[in-house]
Amino acid sequence: MDQHLPAPRAVTVVQLPDGTYSYADAAYLPAQQAPQQIVQHIHQAPPDRTVQRIALGSGVGAGAVAAGVYFGPLLVGVLTAIAANLALLAFLAAVMAWGVVTVVKSIGGSEGKAAAKSVSRSRRRR
Protein backbone atom coordinates (compact mmCIF):
# COMPACT_ATOMS: atom_id res chain seq x y z
CA MET A 1 0.00 0.00 0.00
CA ASP A 2 2.90 2.38 0.64
CA GLN A 3 4.08 1.87 -2.92
CA HIS A 4 1.37 4.16 -4.31
CA LEU A 5 2.16 7.13 -2.09
CA PRO A 6 4.20 10.00 -3.56
CA ALA A 7 7.74 10.52 -2.32
CA PRO A 8 7.93 12.95 0.58
CA ARG A 9 9.03 16.45 -0.38
CA ALA A 10 11.67 18.44 1.45
CA VAL A 11 9.98 21.08 3.57
CA THR A 12 11.91 24.07 4.88
CA VAL A 13 11.06 26.65 7.51
CA VAL A 14 11.48 30.21 6.23
CA GLN A 15 11.03 33.61 7.85
CA LEU A 16 8.65 35.90 6.02
CA PRO A 17 9.27 39.66 5.66
CA ASP A 18 6.78 40.41 8.45
CA GLY A 19 8.86 38.27 10.86
CA THR A 20 6.58 35.22 11.04
CA TYR A 21 7.77 31.74 10.19
CA SER A 22 6.16 29.46 7.63
CA TYR A 23 6.76 26.13 5.93
CA ALA A 24 7.90 26.30 2.33
CA ASP A 25 8.34 23.65 -0.30
CA ALA A 26 12.03 23.39 -1.17
CA ALA A 27 11.20 22.94 -4.85
CA TYR A 28 9.80 26.49 -5.00
CA LEU A 29 12.58 28.25 -3.08
CA PRO A 30 15.24 30.12 -5.04
CA ALA A 31 18.54 28.29 -5.37
CA GLN A 32 21.08 29.31 -2.78
CA GLN A 33 24.26 30.61 -4.36
CA ALA A 34 27.61 30.81 -2.67
CA PRO A 35 28.95 34.36 -2.44
CA GLN A 36 31.20 35.19 -5.35
CA GLN A 37 34.85 35.62 -4.44
CA ILE A 38 36.54 38.56 -6.11
CA VAL A 39 40.32 38.47 -6.36
CA GLN A 40 41.81 41.86 -7.03
CA HIS A 41 45.50 42.31 -7.79
CA ILE A 42 46.88 45.78 -7.28
CA HIS A 43 50.38 46.19 -8.67
CA GLN A 44 51.69 49.23 -6.88
CA ALA A 45 54.75 49.61 -4.73
CA PRO A 46 54.05 50.62 -1.15
CA PRO A 47 55.10 54.15 -0.24
CA ASP A 48 58.41 54.65 1.50
CA ARG A 49 57.68 55.41 5.14
CA THR A 50 61.25 55.60 6.45
CA VAL A 51 60.99 59.28 7.37
CA GLN A 52 57.67 58.68 9.12
CA ARG A 53 59.06 55.77 11.12
CA ILE A 54 62.13 57.74 12.20
CA ALA A 55 60.06 60.77 13.19
CA LEU A 56 57.44 58.78 15.06
CA GLY A 57 60.06 56.61 16.76
CA SER A 58 61.85 59.64 18.16
CA GLY A 59 58.67 61.11 19.63
CA VAL A 60 58.26 63.89 17.09
CA GLY A 61 54.71 64.99 16.31
CA ALA A 62 52.60 64.69 13.20
CA GLY A 63 53.78 68.06 11.89
CA ALA A 64 57.34 66.80 11.55
CA VAL A 65 56.10 63.65 9.84
CA ALA A 66 54.07 65.68 7.36
CA ALA A 67 56.98 68.05 6.74
CA GLY A 68 59.34 65.13 6.11
CA VAL A 69 56.94 63.47 3.74
CA TYR A 70 56.22 66.72 1.90
CA PHE A 71 59.63 68.40 1.84
CA GLY A 72 61.74 65.23 1.42
CA PRO A 73 60.96 64.75 -2.29
CA LEU A 74 61.15 68.53 -2.84
CA LEU A 75 64.64 68.60 -1.36
CA VAL A 76 65.75 65.74 -3.60
CA GLY A 77 64.35 67.58 -6.63
CA VAL A 78 66.08 70.83 -5.74
CA LEU A 79 69.43 69.15 -5.14
CA THR A 80 69.13 67.30 -8.46
CA ALA A 81 68.40 70.55 -10.29
CA ILE A 82 71.37 72.28 -8.65
CA ALA A 83 73.68 69.38 -9.54
CA ALA A 84 72.47 69.44 -13.16
CA ASN A 85 73.09 73.19 -13.38
CA LEU A 86 76.60 72.85 -11.94
CA ALA A 87 77.40 70.03 -14.36
CA LEU A 88 76.23 72.14 -17.28
CA LEU A 89 78.31 75.11 -16.11
CA ALA A 90 81.41 72.92 -15.70
CA PHE A 91 80.91 71.53 -19.21
CA LEU A 92 80.53 75.03 -20.66
CA ALA A 93 83.65 76.22 -18.82
CA ALA A 94 85.67 73.29 -20.22
CA VAL A 95 84.42 73.92 -23.77
CA MET A 96 85.14 77.64 -23.53
CA ALA A 97 88.65 77.03 -22.16
CA TRP A 98 89.32 74.59 -24.99
CA GLY A 99 88.06 77.19 -27.48
CA VAL A 100 90.25 79.96 -26.02
CA VAL A 101 93.33 77.72 -26.08
CA THR A 102 92.62 76.72 -29.69
CA VAL A 103 92.15 80.34 -30.78
CA VAL A 104 95.30 81.48 -28.97
CA LYS A 105 97.31 78.69 -30.59
CA SER A 106 96.09 79.49 -34.09
CA ILE A 107 96.27 83.28 -33.91
CA GLY A 108 99.10 83.99 -31.50
CA GLY A 109 101.96 82.42 -33.44
CA SER A 110 104.95 81.36 -31.37
CA GLU A 111 103.84 83.33 -28.30
CA GLY A 112 100.39 81.70 -28.41
CA LYS A 113 101.89 78.23 -28.69
CA ALA A 114 104.18 78.95 -25.74
CA ALA A 115 101.22 80.21 -23.67
CA ALA A 116 99.13 77.13 -24.55
CA LYS A 117 102.09 74.92 -23.66
CA SER A 118 102.50 76.57 -20.25
CA VAL A 119 98.75 76.18 -19.58
CA SER A 120 98.87 72.48 -20.48
CA ARG A 121 101.93 72.00 -18.22
CA SER A 122 100.17 73.66 -15.29
CA ARG A 123 97.18 71.33 -15.79
CA ARG A 124 99.43 68.24 -15.72
CA ARG A 125 101.09 69.27 -12.43
CA ARG A 126 97.81 69.37 -10.51
Side-chain angles (χ1 to χ4, degrees), residues 81-115:
I82 291 172
N85 286 339
L86 290 176
L88 181 65
L89 289 175
F91 177 75
L92 287 176
V95 169
M96 292 176 76
W98 174 79
V100 168
V101 168
T102 305
V103 168
V104 169
K105 272 186 185 180
S106 63
I107 293 177
S110 61
E111 293 175 1
K113 289 180 184 176

Side-chain angles (χ1 to χ4, degrees), residues 20-66:
T20 60
Y21 292 93
S22 176
Y23 292 103
D25 191 352
Y28 296 108
L29 290 175
Q32 296 291 330
Q33 295 180 352
Q36 184 179 7
Q37 184 178 7
I38 298 174
V39 178
Q40 186 175 17
H41 298 282
I42 299 174
H43 300 282
Q44 181 179 3
D48 184 18
R49 300 187 191 278
T50 307
V51 175
Q52 292 175 348
R53 287 189 186 114
I54 291 171
L56 291 175
S58 62
V60 180
V65 174

Side-chain angles (χ1 to χ4, degrees), residues 12-26:
T12 307
V13 177
V14 292
Q15 185 176 10
L16 298 175
D18 64 354
T20 60
Y21 292 93
S22 176
Y23 292 103
D25 191 352

Side-chain angles (χ1 to χ4, degrees), residues 101 114-124:
V101 168
K117 196 172 187 181
S118 71
V119 168
S120 67
R121 282 185 192 161
S122 67
R123 283 187 188 168
R124 287 183 199 160

